[in-house]
């Protein structure tokens, strides 16, 4: 049965996934510089000469068997409120790395956005359950990946929809911003840590439903 999976979701030691004041020149907000260095240093992301080993293995796992992605609007871009125009097409250039349908949660809808390489962004204000149904249909039997930000993952945890979650803990402090494990109202009930391991750079925790 297809699953909803979270991968490579990176938080600081004090639990923050992003600092305050996210904007175009600071996608993860103030105080979060270096939060994702572990991932971009891997061979999968960096290319030849990149780090192999445990961190790279987790990045490779994040791509296996994924047929669609769900993300929040903050992950798609820095624009807030109504779209002034439709010129913003995401952080990833003309050929985003997804290569499948991506469902962007937003209260401000716009037409679907087809990109090079098979990625199409769909903008939706549906409930987590409704969006997940659409994503499973688009994934055609494969799993669906749930991206950030923290508030988006919280919605799906509160709804009991997440099957597996890979969290990466970086040894740094951010001090303010968006914390992953806030506002859950019992959303972690029924989950357990099934894998906990560390590289030289970070600690990886895998959480699954019991």
């Amino acid at each position: 049965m297809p699953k909803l999976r979270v991968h490579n979701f990176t938080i600081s030691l004090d639990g923050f996934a992003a600092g305050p004041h996210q904007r175009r020149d600071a996608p993860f907000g103030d105080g979060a510089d270096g939060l994702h260095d572990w991932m971009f240093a891997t061979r999968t992301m960096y290319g030849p000469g990149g780090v192999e080993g445990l961190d790279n293995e987790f990045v490779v796992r994040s791509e296996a068997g994924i047929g669609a992605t769900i993300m929040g609007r903050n992950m798609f871009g820095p624009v807030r409120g109504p779209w002034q125009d439709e010129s913003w097409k995401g952080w990833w250039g003309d050929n985003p790395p997804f290569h499948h349908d991506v469902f962007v949660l937003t209260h401000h809808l716009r037409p679907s956005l087809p990109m090079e390489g098979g990625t199409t962004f769909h903008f939706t204000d549906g409930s987590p359950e409704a969006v997940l149904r659409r994503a499973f249909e688009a994934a055609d039997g494969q799993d669906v990946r749930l991206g950030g930000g923290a508030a988006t993952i919280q919605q799906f945890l509160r709804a009991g929809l997440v099957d597996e979650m890979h969290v990466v803990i970086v040894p740094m402090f951010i001090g303010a911003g968006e914390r992953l494990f806030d506002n859950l109202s019992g959303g972690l009930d029924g989950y357990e840590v099934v894998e906990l391991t560390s590289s030289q750079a970070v600690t990886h925790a895998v959480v699954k439903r019991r």
Side-chain angles (χ1 to χ4, degrees), residues 15-38:
F16 291 96
H21 311 304
Q22 291 173 273
R23 56 196 183 276
R24 190 164 186 164
D25 62 347
F28 293 96
D30 295 334
D33 291 347
L35 186 65
H36 294 85
D37 283 358
W38 73 272

Side-chain angles (χ1 to χ4, degrees), residues 7-8 38 53-63 166 195 197 204-206:
H7 284 280
N8 304 326
W38 73 272
L54 183 66
D55 293 342
N56 191 63
E57 290 171 11
F58 272 99
V59 174
V60 171
R61 284 167 59 173
S62 72
E63 300 294 333
H166 166 225
E195 188 175 350
T197 186
H204 299 271
V206 178

Side-chain angles (χ1 to χ4, degrees), residues 27 38 116 119 124 139 165-166 173 178 194 202:
W38 73 272
E116 294 178 14
T119 298
T124 175
M165 182 165 62
H166 166 225
F173 296 108
E178 289 190 75
V194 298
V202 297

Side-chain angles (χ1 to χ4, degrees), residues 6-205:
V6 175
H7 284 280
N8 304 326
F9 195 82
T10 305
I11 63 175
S12 62
L13 193 59
D14 51 348
F16 291 96
H21 311 304
Q22 291 173 273
R23 56 196 183 276
R24 190 164 186 164
D25 62 347
F28 293 96
D30 295 334
D33 291 347
L35 186 65
H36 294 85
D37 283 358
W38 73 272
M39 183 168 59
F40 292 112
T42 63
R43 182 177 180 84
T44 298
M45 300 293 291
Y46 185 83
V51 175
E52 298 189 29
L54 183 66
D55 293 342
N56 191 63
E57 290 171 11
F58 272 99
V59 174
V60 171
R61 284 167 59 173
S62 72
E63 300 294 333
I66 297 294
T69 293
I70 299 170
M71 67 173 63
R73 181 172 173 179
N74 288 7
M75 182 173 172
F76 179 73
V79 182
R80 302 293 183 262
W83 302 98
Q84 300 303 311
D85 54 47
E86 297 175 4
S87 60
W88 180 260
K89 298 181 179 180
W91 301 102
W92 305 278
D94 292 331
N95 189 356
F98 305 101
H99 312 300
H100 53 230
D101 288 320
V102 178
F103 296 87
V104 181
L105 303 181
T106 175
H107 296 302
H108 301 280
L109 303 182
R110 55 185 279 190
S112 293
L113 176 62
M115 305 289 286
E116 294 178 14
T119 298
T120 298
F121 293 106
H122 305 281
F123 302 89
T124 175
D125 62 352
S127 67
E129 293 84 356
V131 175
L132 184 57
R133 284 195 296 269
R134 289 184 62 190
F136 276 141
E137 182 177 349
D140 194 23
Q142 297 191 85
D143 290 347
V144 172
R145 179 172 49 211
L146 178 61
T152 298
I153 294 177
Q154 288 164 9
Q155 287 184 58
F156 284 81
L157 282 172
R158 288 194 299 268
L161 299 174
V162 178
D163 294 295
E164 179 178 330
M165 182 165 62
H166 166 225
V167 178
V168 184
I169 304 163
V170 177
M172 62 180 286
F173 296 108
I174 296 179
E178 289 190 75
R179 290 171 54 92
L180 175 60
F181 296 117
D182 284 347
N183 310 312
L184 289 178
S185 302
L188 288 176
D189 294 348
Y191 292 90
E192 62 181 344
V193 178
V194 298
E195 188 175 350
L196 186 66
T197 186
S198 296
S199 68
Q200 291 185 337
V202 297
T203 294
H204 299 271

